[in-house]
Amino acid sequence: MFENNEYQAYTPGNFVSIPQLSRLSEQEKREIKIVAEVLPFKSNSYVVNELIDWDNYSEDPIFRLNFPSREMLIDAHYKRIANAVEQGSDKKEIRKIANEIRLELNPHPAGQLKMNVPKLRGRYLHGLQHKYNETVLFFPSQGQTCHAYCTFCFRWPQFSGMDGMKFASRDADNLTAYLRAHKEVTNVLFTGGDPLIMSTALLTKYLEPLLHPDFDHIHTIRIGSKALAYWPYRFLTDKDSDALISLFERINSAGKHLTLMAHFNHPIEISTQAVKQAIIKIRLTGTEIRTQSPVMKHINDSAEIWAEMWKTQVSLGMIPYYMFMARDTGAHHYFNISIKQAHDIYRNAYSQVSGMSKTVRGPVMSAAPGKIHVVGINEIGGEKIFVLQFLQARNPEWVRIPFFAKYNENASWLTDLEPFAEEKFFWQDEFEAISRRSVSEAIYQEEE
Ligand SMILES: *Cc1c(COP(=O)(O)O)cnc(C)c1O
Ligand code: SF4
């Protein structure tokens, strides 16, 4: 029934062997190779054969999603890396330049990342993040890669040669030790990369311990994954796919709420026979599928795309969850749209769908102080404003108190916004105090 179920990865080393690439000019292929020195690049046989429309590749959203292109780097960066490659610099030199450019593309200083890493008995627990009281994020070290890479992804600093196996048991022990000590946590979110890149045997090692009565406070287990979009055969024909489906059944039968936080950027990703079969198979285990995506130029910047995506998701039994603003990292200038544009797309799409799709919240900025929802645009005393609220916050008391920012047509992130009619946002002083505290702790920790 399925023709492309033999997983074949395409990377900078072998992508020229993709038959469909004969449609690209030599120049285009060279550019892909050059940009791929900086941005991550990986595609696979399913994406190439079933998702991308090669007749129209240059406008195709899935092609854009997987294949780096020249415009994804600013001119200065492109020229620097292109020069190095074309002059035949050695691998080390190219890597060094690529890393310098990457640093300029990555706005997360170390302290920021440290802010969410929890401690147990004075020791930082790497592989965990605990930002909102109820939910712990867990990054299993073998899950820090994906079936294909999104060119917009903010996680790409993680995709560099992580040596997983030897940390596995330590990671799992960190997780269970932390959860035993934190009964306020009700949710665990396995994330990555893509945890479903792992074998079922490995996933079982991580997930099954949580079914023990010690973890009765964990009522929801989430798996953040793009496998449905990039490799639905993970649930259908991979050699341990049946075992994965039984694992899902066991978790649900144990009385946990298991939910796949599925990442879909475009309706094409939910159009193939393979993905539809995979969705049915997962849903039959009792697992819910919630969907989320950033809104991005060149990929999904139209209300029609979003309305279609939500409607189709609901008709396939999935639950629309978040529409995110793209993070300010990587090829942000290429994918970036303004808060105003994102809001218009959301509102227009939202007005086209029934209540079944209106579970979706957006646009949402997952920013340092919390998940900030752009509620709308309005006027107060003749002045235009953005109305905002926290859905999740570093301090839960900030949640769902509407606050106002001056309207700014070009703003594309929280940091571009200014408070309306006040010196500071109501949460700002407290947030700055929290940041100072955790950064100084983190620095102290590093010096130990
Ligand atoms: C988004 C996010 C969560 C989950 O938030 P929900 O609103 O519960 O989906 C948890 N932790 C972090 C750090 C997040 O960014
Ligand atoms: S699948 Fe997720 S983690 Fe992987 S590249 Fe895409 S956005 Fe990033």
Side-chain angles (χ1 to χ4, degrees), residues 40 145-156 159 192-194 225-227 230 263 265:
T145 181
C146 312
H147 293 98
Y149 292 153
C150 309
T151 42
F152 66 80
C153 181
F154 68 95
R155 295 232 156 106
W156 50 264
F159 299 152
D194 192 329
S225 173
K226 193 152 178 162
Y230 279 163
H263 180 177
N265 304 124

Side-chain angles (χ1 to χ4, degrees), residues 3-263:
E3 288 167 25
N4 301 293
N5 61 358
E6 201 72 53
Y7 181 77
Q8 161 77 52
Y10 296 117
T11 62
N14 72 351
F15 81 104
V16 285
S17 70
I18 299 172
Q20 291 92 331
L21 278 191
S22 59
R23 296 159 186 254
L24 274 67
S25 69
E26 287 310 307
Q27 177 65 13
E28 282 173 310
K29 280 184 263 189
R30 200 156 56 233
E31 285 170 3
I32 291 174
K33 212 165 161 61
I34 289 170
V35 179
E37 295 288 348
V38 177
L39 301 176
F41 168 50
K42 182 172 167 187
S43 190
N44 68 52
S45 36
Y46 170 75
V47 174
V48 163
N49 294 318
E50 298 195 50
L51 297 185
I52 294 173
D53 172 11
W54 289 94
D55 286 337
N56 190 25
Y57 71 88
S58 68
E59 301 300 317
D60 185 77
I62 311 298
F63 180 79
R64 293 283 166 212
L65 209 53
N66 264 200
F67 288 80
S69 68
R70 197 207 141 110
E71 311 85 73
M72 290 179 192
L73 291 180
I74 59 167
D75 252 7
H77 287 160
Y78 182 80
K79 284 184 183 139
R80 251 173 88 203
I81 193 76
N83 273 341
V85 172
E86 275 158 9
Q87 283 164 12
S89 309
D90 63 30
K91 273 210 165 83
K92 237 176 92 190
E93 179 63 16
I94 293 175
R95 191 110 322 269
K96 182 169 155 274
I97 294 171
N99 281 335
E100 284 166 13
I101 296 173
R102 284 176 180 166
L103 277 178
E104 288 175 37
L105 295 177
N106 179 8
H108 305 298
Q112 275 277 331
L113 290 178
K114 279 262 164 75
M115 234 170 128
N116 306 322
V117 178
K119 286 193 287 192
L120 191 65
R121 292 188 275 282
R123 189 171 64 85
Y124 276 100
L125 299 178
H126 296 286
L128 267 71
Q129 273 188 24
H130 191 191
K131 181 171 175 179
Y132 309 129
N133 285 347
E134 297 260 324
T135 307
V136 162
L137 261 53
F138 179 58
F139 299 76
S141 45
Q142 307 87 343
Q144 302 313 308
T145 181
C146 312
H147 293 98
Y149 292 153
C150 309
T151 42
F152 66 80
C153 181
F154 68 95
R155 295 232 156 106
W156 50 264
Q158 281 163 229
F159 299 152
S160 53
M162 298 243 341
D163 178 9
M165 285 322 271
K166 59 180 183 238
F167 298 118
S169 57
R170 197 199 64 186
D171 282 8
D173 291 349
N174 277 353
L175 177 66
T176 49
Y178 189 76
L179 293 179
R180 272 199 189 90
H182 286 268
K183 302 288 184 196
E184 81 279 16
V185 176
T186 61
N187 279 244
V188 179
L189 171 49
F190 283 74
T191 181
D194 192 329
L196 294 184
I197 200 89
M198 292 192 278
S199 67
T200 303
L202 206 46
L203 276 164
T204 305
K205 272 197 196 143
Y206 284 120
L207 290 166
E208 208 134 60
L210 301 180
L211 306 184
H212 187 275
D214 281 2
F215 305 103
D216 279 352
H217 57 300
I218 307 300
H219 60 62
T220 303
I221 298 173
R222 309 192 223 181
I223 302 174
S225 173
K226 193 152 178 162
L228 276 171
Y230 279 163
W231 191 246
Y233 299 115
R234 180 71 190 90
F235 309 95
L236 297 173
T237 56
D238 277 7
K239 64 180 185 311
D240 60 353
S241 60
D242 286 343
L244 181 65
I245 293 297
S246 338
L247 173 64
F248 285 5
E249 276 166 0
R250 277 204 305 289
I251 296 170
N252 286 301
S253 306
K256 300 284 185 200
H257 178 147
L258 177 64
T259 187
L260 195 65
M261 306 302 292
H263 180 177

